[in-house]
Amino acid sequence: MRRMAHLFLFTALLWLQAGAAFAGDQNALLWRVEGRGAAPSYLYGTIHIDDPRVLALPAPVTGAFEVASTVVLELELDVSAALAVAQAMLFQGESGLSALVGPELYRLSVAALAERGIPEVAVERMKPWAIVMTLTVPPPRTGQPLDAMLYQQAVAKGKRTVGLETPQEQVAVFEGLTAAEQKALLRDTLAEYKSYPALFEKLTEAYLARDLDRLVEIGNETMGQSGEAYMERFMSEMIDARNLRMAQRLEPILKQGDAFIGVGALHLPGPKGLVTLLKEQGYRLTPLY
């Protein structure tokens, strides 16, 4: 289960498919998508953090964003989406965290989230997977991760915005974990979360270098290999199924053209990644950055 805790860290930031190797131009983060007579669109791999180095978009990405009339993200990041995700992270009714995980894990959870400024009354309402997700992303700096920044800029510029998934679809894989899996995952995360800042920095540096191979290396070094059934199920639902769903929902958007599409960076490469899936749909993809 410890590998599962690390997997949450990677998926929270990048939706990383561990174990795959990506070579050559598949390391690109920005792709031009052309075909079927439509104006070109652009596919960009994001990272879900608010590090100023990440928010300072390079010129090729800014240029692609500026010319697009439609901005497509994993979620429509409006108030209703934020509320839906927040609601899914919380227990409903009388049940709470302490009753599910017991006094020791509850005490450790309260202490860990106090470091993030989250009071005990809020911790008691949080589901175990929500605590894990909170601890496996860096503490906020600006409060506006890259995806949210892109959304806000799109709204400010009057661009059409589209979400490829619903909040319910995004949290379904976490909600599908059993109570025992969530409890074990929480225990391992609480044992290791203090080591995550160094790992966040490694991941950020690899992302800024556009080195997807290095991101996978870091993932493999940290998680190792595992054949456990829940790992296989989690990866299939978190990566492969979502890539296929995204590719299908991008079809009418790409037919219209003139879109900027931002999704987690490691949805892009690999034999089941969006770059391959869109090529199989007949589009021509050219790496730009």
Side-chain angles (χ1 to χ4, degrees), residues 232-274:
E232 295 176 3
R233 185 186 83 239
F234 185 87
M235 292 307 301
S236 176
E237 295 176 3
M238 178 58 75
I239 304 295
D240 298 343
R242 293 182 65 226
N243 283 351
L244 183 60
R245 181 166 64 213
M246 287 182 186
Q248 292 170 341
R249 292 178 181 176
L250 281 171
E251 181 73 6
I253 295 168
L254 293 173
K255 283 183 179 178
Q256 183 175 351
D258 198 27
F260 178 95
I261 303 152
V263 297
L266 292 176
H267 278 301
L268 272 57
K272 297 182 180 180
L274 283 177

Coordinates of all heavy atoms in Angstrom, one line a residue, residues 232-274:
E232 N -3.4 -2.1 -10.2 CA -3.7 -2.3 -11.6 C -5.1 -1.6 -11.9 O -5.3 -1.0 -12.9 CB -3.7 -3.8 -12.0 CG -2.3 -4.4 -11.9 CD -2.4 -5.9 -12.2 OE1 -3.5 -6.4 -12.5 OE2 -1.3 -6.6 -12.0
R233 N -6.0 -1.8 -11.0 CA -7.3 -1.2 -11.2 C -7.3 0.3 -11.1 O -7.9 1.0 -12.0 CB -8.3 -1.7 -10.1 CG -9.7 -1.3 -10.2 CD -10.6 -1.7 -9.1 NE -10.5 -0.7 -8.0 CZ -10.1 -1.1 -6.7 NH1 -9.7 -2.3 -6.5 NH2 -10.0 -0.1 -5.8
F234 N -6.5 0.8 -10.2 CA -6.4 2.2 -10.0 C -5.8 2.9 -11.3 O -6.3 3.8 -11.8 CB -5.5 2.6 -8.8 CG -5.4 4.0 -8.5 CD1 -6.3 4.6 -7.7 CD2 -4.3 4.8 -9.0 CE1 -6.2 6.0 -7.4 CE2 -4.2 6.1 -8.7 CZ -5.2 6.7 -7.9
M235 N -4.7 2.3 -11.8 CA -4.0 2.8 -13.0 C -4.9 2.7 -14.2 O -5.0 3.6 -15.0 CB -2.7 2.0 -13.2 CG -1.7 2.3 -12.2 SD -1.3 4.0 -11.9 CE -0.8 4.6 -13.6
S236 N -5.7 1.6 -14.3 CA -6.5 1.5 -15.5 C -7.6 2.5 -15.5 O -7.9 3.2 -16.5 CB -7.2 0.1 -15.5 OG -8.1 0.0 -16.5
E237 N -8.2 2.8 -14.3 CA -9.3 3.8 -14.2 C -8.7 5.2 -14.3 O -9.4 6.1 -14.8 CB -10.1 3.6 -12.9 CG -10.8 2.2 -12.9 CD -11.5 2.0 -11.6 OE1 -11.4 2.9 -10.7 OE2 -12.1 0.9 -11.4
M238 N -7.6 5.5 -13.6 CA -7.1 6.8 -13.5 C -6.5 7.3 -14.8 O -6.6 8.5 -15.2 CB -6.0 6.9 -12.4 CG -5.4 8.3 -12.2 SD -6.6 9.6 -11.9 CE -7.0 9.2 -10.2
I239 N -5.8 6.4 -15.5 CA -5.1 6.8 -16.7 C -5.8 6.4 -18.0 O -6.3 7.2 -18.7 CB -3.6 6.3 -16.7 CG1 -2.9 6.7 -15.4 CG2 -2.9 6.8 -17.9 CD1 -2.7 8.2 -15.2
D240 N -5.8 5.1 -18.2 CA -6.2 4.6 -19.5 C -7.7 4.9 -19.8 O -8.0 5.4 -20.9 CB -6.0 3.0 -19.6 CG -4.6 2.6 -19.4 OD1 -3.7 3.5 -19.6 OD2 -4.3 1.4 -19.1
A241 N -8.6 4.7 -18.9 CA -10.0 5.0 -19.2 C -10.2 6.5 -19.4 O -11.0 6.9 -20.2 CB -10.8 4.4 -18.0
R242 N -9.5 7.3 -18.6 CA -9.7 8.7 -18.7 C -9.1 9.2 -20.0 O -9.7 10.1 -20.7 CB -9.1 9.5 -17.5 CG -9.8 9.2 -16.2 CD -9.2 9.9 -15.1 NE -9.4 11.4 -15.2 CZ -8.4 12.2 -15.0 NH1 -7.2 11.8 -14.7 NH2 -8.6 13.5 -15.2
N243 N -8.0 8.7 -20.5 CA -7.4 9.1 -21.7 C -8.4 8.8 -22.9 O -8.6 9.6 -23.8 CB -6.1 8.4 -22.0 CG -4.9 8.9 -21.2 OD1 -5.1 10.0 -20.6 ND2 -3.8 8.2 -21.2
L244 N -9.0 7.6 -22.9 CA -9.9 7.3 -23.9 C -11.1 8.2 -23.9 O -11.6 8.6 -24.9 CB -10.3 5.8 -23.7 CG -11.3 5.2 -24.8 CD1 -10.6 5.3 -26.2 CD2 -11.7 3.8 -24.4
R245 N -11.6 8.5 -22.7 CA -12.8 9.4 -22.6 C -12.4 10.8 -23.1 O -13.2 11.4 -23.8 CB -13.2 9.4 -21.1 CG -14.4 10.3 -20.9 CD -15.0 10.0 -19.5 NE -14.1 10.4 -18.4 CZ -14.0 9.7 -17.3 NH1 -14.8 8.7 -17.1 NH2 -13.2 10.1 -16.3
M246 N -11.2 11.3 -22.7 CA -10.8 12.6 -23.2 C -10.7 12.6 -24.7 O -11.1 13.6 -25.3 CB -9.5 13.0 -22.5 CG -9.6 13.3 -21.1 SD -8.0 13.8 -20.4 CE -8.3 14.0 -18.7
A247 N -10.1 11.6 -25.3 CA -9.9 11.6 -26.7 C -11.2 11.6 -27.4 O -11.4 12.3 -28.4 CB -9.1 10.3 -27.1
Q248 N -12.2 10.9 -26.9 CA -13.5 10.8 -27.5 C -14.2 12.2 -27.4 O -14.8 12.7 -28.4 CB -14.4 9.8 -26.9 CG -13.9 8.3 -27.2 CD -14.6 7.3 -26.3 OE1 -15.2 7.6 -25.3 NE2 -14.6 6.0 -26.7
R249 N -14.1 12.8 -26.3 CA -14.7 14.1 -26.1 C -14.0 15.3 -26.8 O -14.6 16.3 -27.0 CB -14.9 14.4 -24.6 CG -15.9 13.4 -23.9 CD -16.0 13.6 -22.4 NE -16.9 12.7 -21.9 CZ -17.2 12.5 -20.6 NH1 -16.6 13.3 -19.7 NH2 -18.1 11.6 -20.2
L250 N -12.8 15.1 -27.1 CA -12.0 16.1 -27.9 C -12.4 16.1 -29.4 O -12.2 17.1 -30.1 CB -10.5 15.8 -27.8 CG -9.9 16.3 -26.5 CD1 -8.4 15.9 -26.4 CD2 -9.9 17.9 -26.4
E251 N -13.0 15.0 -29.9 CA -13.3 14.9 -31.3 C -14.1 16.0 -31.8 O -13.7 16.7 -32.8 CB -14.0 13.5 -31.5 CG -14.3 13.3 -33.0 CD -13.1 12.9 -33.8 OE1 -12.0 12.7 -33.3 OE2 -13.3 12.8 -35.1
P252 N -15.3 16.4 -31.3 CA -16.0 17.5 -31.8 C -15.3 18.9 -31.6 O -15.4 19.8 -32.5 CB -17.3 17.5 -31.1 CG -17.0 16.8 -29.8 CD -16.0 15.8 -30.2
I253 N -14.5 19.0 -30.6 CA -13.7 20.2 -30.4 C -12.6 20.4 -31.4 O -12.4 21.5 -32.0 CB -13.1 20.2 -29.0 CG1 -14.2 20.2 -27.9 CG2 -12.1 21.4 -28.7 CD1 -13.7 19.9 -26.5
L254 N -12.0 19.3 -31.7 CA -10.9 19.4 -32.8 C -11.5 19.5 -34.2 O -10.8 20.1 -35.0 CB -10.0 18.1 -32.7 CG -9.2 17.9 -31.4 CD1 -8.5 16.6 -31.4 CD2 -8.2 19.0 -31.3
K255 N -12.7 19.0 -34.4 CA -13.3 19.2 -35.7 C -13.6 20.7 -35.9 O -13.5 21.2 -37.0 CB -14.6 18.4 -35.8 CG -14.4 16.9 -36.0 CD -15.7 16.2 -36.2 CE -15.5 14.7 -36.4 NZ -16.8 14.0 -36.5
Q256 N -13.9 21.4 -34.8 CA -14.2 22.8 -34.9 C -12.9 23.6 -35.0 O -12.8 24.6 -35.7 CB -15.0 23.3 -33.7 CG -15.3 24.8 -33.7 CD -16.2 25.2 -32.5 OE1 -16.7 24.3 -31.8 NE2 -16.4 26.5 -32.4
G257 N -11.8 23.1 -34.3 CA -10.5 23.7 -34.4 C -10.4 25.0 -33.5 O -11.3 25.4 -32.8
D258 N -9.2 25.5 -33.5 CA -8.9 26.8 -32.8 C -9.0 26.7 -31.3 O -9.5 27.6 -30.7 CB -9.8 27.9 -33.4 CG -9.3 29.3 -33.1 OD1 -8.1 29.5 -32.9 OD2 -10.2 30.2 -33.0
A259 N -8.5 25.5 -30.8 CA -8.7 25.3 -29.3 C -7.3 25.1 -28.7 O -6.3 24.7 -29.3 CB -9.5 24.1 -29.0
F260 N -7.2 25.5 -27.4 CA -6.0 25.3 -26.6 C -6.5 24.3 -25.5 O -7.4 24.6 -24.8 CB -5.5 26.6 -25.9 CG -4.3 26.4 -25.0 CD1 -3.1 26.6 -25.5 CD2 -4.5 26.0 -23.7 CE1 -2.0 26.4 -24.6 CE2 -3.4 25.8 -22.8 CZ -2.1 26.0 -23.3
I261 N -5.8 23.1 -25.5 CA -6.3 22.0 -24.6 C -5.2 21.8 -23.6 O -4.0 21.4 -23.9 CB -6.5 20.7 -25.5 CG1 -7.5 21.0 -26.6 CG2 -6.9 19.6 -24.6 CD1 -7.4 20.1 -27.8
G262 N -5.5 22.0 -22.3 CA -4.5 21.7 -21.2 C -5.0 20.6 -20.4 O -6.0 20.7 -19.7
V263 N -4.2 19.5 -20.3 CA -4.4 18.4 -19.4 C -3.2 18.0 -18.7 O -2.1 18.3 -19.2 CB -5.0 17.2 -20.2 CG1 -6.4 17.5 -20.9 CG2 -4.0 16.7 -21.3
G264 N -3.3 17.2 -17.7 CA -2.1 16.8 -17.0 C -1.0 16.2 -17.9 O -1.4 15.4 -18.8
A265 N 0.2 16.5 -17.7 CA 1.3 16.3 -18.7 C 1.4 14.8 -19.1 O 1.6 14.5 -20.3 CB 2.6 16.7 -18.2
L266 N 1.2 13.9 -18.2 CA 1.4 12.5 -18.5 C 0.1 11.8 -19.0 O 0.1 10.6 -19.0 CB 2.1 11.8 -17.4 CG 3.6 12.3 -17.3 CD1 4.3 11.7 -16.1 CD2 4.4 12.1 -18.6
H267 N -0.9 12.6 -19.3 CA -2.0 12.1 -20.2 C -1.5 12.0 -21.6 O -2.1 11.4 -22.4 CB -3.2 12.9 -20.1 CG -4.1 12.7 -18.9 ND1 -4.6 11.5 -18.6 CD2 -4.4 13.5 -17.9 CE1 -5.3 11.6 -17.5 NE2 -5.2 12.8 -17.0
L268 N -0.4 12.7 -21.9 CA 0.0 12.9 -23.3 C 0.7 11.7 -23.9 O 0.3 11.2 -25.0 CB 0.8 14.1 -23.5 CG 0.1 15.5 -23.8 CD1 -0.9 15.8 -22.7 CD2 1.1 16.6 -23.9
P269 N 1.8 11.2 -23.3 CA 2.6 10.2 -24.0 C 2.2 8.8 -23.8 O 1.3 8.5 -23.0 CB 4.0 10.5 -23.4 CG 3.7 10.9 -22.0 CD 2.4 11.6 -22.0
G270 N 2.9 7.9 -24.4 CA 2.7 6.5 -24.2 C 1.8 5.9 -25.2 O 1.0 6.6 -25.9
P271 N 1.7 4.6 -25.3 CA 0.9 3.9 -26.3 C -0.6 4.1 -26.1 O -1.4 3.9 -27.0 CB 1.3 2.4 -26.2 CG 1.9 2.3 -24.8 CD 2.5 3.6 -24.5
K272 N -1.0 4.5 -24.9 CA -2.4 4.8 -24.6 C -2.6 6.2 -24.2 O -3.7 6.6 -23.7 CB -2.9 3.8 -23.5 CG -2.9 2.4 -23.8 CD -3.4 1.5 -22.7 CE -3.4 0.0 -23.1 NZ -3.9 -0.9 -22.0
G273 N -1.6 7.1 -24.5 CA -1.7 8.5 -24.2 C -2.5 9.2 -25.3 O -2.8 8.7 -26.4
L274 N -2.8 10.5 -25.0 CA -3.6 11.3 -25.9 C -2.9 11.5 -27.3 O -3.6 11.6 -28.3 CB -4.0 12.6 -25.3 CG -5.1 12.6 -24.2 CD1 -5.3 14.0 -23.6 CD2 -6.4 12.1 -24.8

